[in-house]
Amino acid sequence: MVSKVSDHVAMAVVPDQLAGYVQAVSGLQSMALGRCLLHYVDKTAVLVAYSVKADRNIWDEGVEQVLGLNKFEQITVLAPEVPSLAPADAHISRDNYWFLPIPAPAPGQKLRNMLKRAQKDVTIFINGSEAYACAHKEMVDAFCNRKAAVLSDGSRYIFSNLDKYLAACPDALLFTARNDLNEAVAMAIGDFSALGTAFYMFAFRHENAPPGTSDLLLAAVLDEAARRGHTRINLGLGMGKGVEFFKKKWGAEPALAYVETSWEIKRARKGWFSRLFG
């Protein structure tokens, strides 16, 4: 039985189980709730219900426990399925987490050519939070400006706190691609906090980054994960055809469903007698 936040982090299969990451980029607090991990602030609860071996009872049990706390007005459940206690008017969004085994499948000829080309133009440096500098922030800001029409406020907030994330999580590393002038042209963050699953968390690049730079960054994250003994890597959600194409190119597959279910917790209104005496 998982009983501590650190246990959930050790057995994490999705990024929202990395409590240090969630706390750093959102300001939420975290607590273990049976086999689930609960992030919360004020009257809002986010229940993360994933495990190495899927068991549909996990998210239903977790929702019952959250409701039993009798302190939240809004709940969001992240799980492979919609909880049975979710009301008919709950807001539901779906995607899939994409995974690669480690060692990853051998890249095809086209991908090998891209990697060789990128190796001639850039060098990958691996550092901790101390290396996150203005050049990295500028890449993030440029991405947010390019995607302003589709980027949510929540995503912007997360991206603005990547330095805090790196500082709070010693097993989250910054991968920087630098050109011959030592200019940072692309970056990625890999998280190795869990025991079995590594995480390719974020990646940004300048529009003038040499072709294949993003592939070279992922290759470096995969090499680090293999060195540390991880057996697979979570490449994140599909997020659209362009992102999915990048993952498919590496042989990744949508191996785990992501279902986000949110609703307001409606409680029965007490009568005057119970309000007075109960």
Side-chain angles (χ1 to χ4, degrees):
M1 172 70 74
V2 175
S3 59
K4 296 185 296 185
V5 171
S6 59
D7 294 335
H8 286 276
V9 174
M11 301 301 293
V13 293
V14 299
D16 295 284
Q17 290 172 307
L18 302 175
Y21 154 68
V22 173
Q23 293 166 8
V25 302
S26 69
L28 298 173
Q29 300 181 63
S30 304
M31 63 177 284
L33 195 65
R35 294 188 290 172
C36 297
L37 185 62
L38 180 66
H39 307 299
Y40 63 94
V41 62
D42 298 329
K43 300 294 184 180
T44 299
V46 179
L47 184 74
V48 187
Y50 282 91
S51 64
V52 176
K53 294 182 178 180
D55 179 354
R56 71 163 295 104
N57 293 325
I58 293 178
W59 44 91
D60 287 337
E61 290 174 1
V63 171
E64 288 182 352
Q65 289 176 302
V66 171
L67 297 179
L69 294 175
N70 203 36
K71 60 184 293 186
F72 299 109
E73 297 177 356
Q74 178 78 26
I75 181 173
T76 295
V77 181
L78 308 180
E81 296 181 19
V82 176
S84 60
L85 289 176
D89 61 349
H91 180 270
I92 301 171
S93 59
R94 301 176 186 272
D95 204 328
N96 289 284
Y97 285 109
W98 290 65
F99 285 82
L100 267 176
I102 297 175
Q109 184 61 53
K110 186 175 181 179
L111 180 53
R112 291 201 301 271
N113 291 340
M114 292 292 288
L115 291 169
K116 289 180 180 179
R117 179 177 178 179
Q119 286 172 340
K120 296 178 181 178
D121 297 320
V122 298
T123 303
I124 307 299
F125 294 86
I126 306 174
N127 303 97
S129 60
E130 75 286 347
Y132 193 87
C134 291
H136 299 89
K137 186 178 184 304
E138 288 172 0
M139 271 188 272
V140 175
D141 291 343
F143 172 84
C144 291
N145 291 334
R146 291 197 303 269
K147 300 293 184 179
V150 297
L151 202 62
S152 68
D153 290 340
S155 294
R156 284 180 176 273
Y157 186 80
I158 290 173
F159 296 158
S160 70
N161 285 290
L162 294 184
D163 55 340
K164 295 179 181 177
Y165 165 35
L166 287 165
C169 302
D171 288 311
L173 299 179
L174 178 65
F175 294 73
T176 305
R178 295 185 179 275
N179 61 18
D180 292 339
L181 299 176
N182 201 36
E183 298 169 330
V185 296
M187 59 170 282
I189 295 178
D191 197 309
F192 311 95
S193 301
L195 295 178
T197 305
F199 296 86
Y200 188 64
M201 297 293 287
F202 301 100
F204 304 90
R205 65 180 180 85
H206 281 305
E207 291 185 306
N208 63 349
T213 300
S214 296
D215 294 302
L216 199 62
L217 280 169
L218 176 54
V221 174
L222 289 170
D223 287 344
E224 180 66 20
R227 187 185 71 80
R228 289 170 173 251
H230 294 281
T231 58
R232 65 175 182 169
I233 186 168
N234 185 328
L235 297 182
L237 300 174
M239 304 296 289
K241 292 184 179 180
V243 176
E244 288 185 359
F245 174 80
F246 176 80
K247 295 170 183 179
K248 288 178 180 178
K249 177 174 60 174
W250 277 88
E253 296 182 350
L256 184 61
Y258 169 88
V259 181
E260 179 180 318
T261 310
S262 301
W263 70 92
E264 292 184 6
I265 300 174
K266 300 175 182 178
R267 306 190 187 283
R269 185 177 179 82
K270 292 183 178 181
W272 69 268
F273 188 87
S274 58
R275 292 203 304 272
L276 184 60
F277 294 102

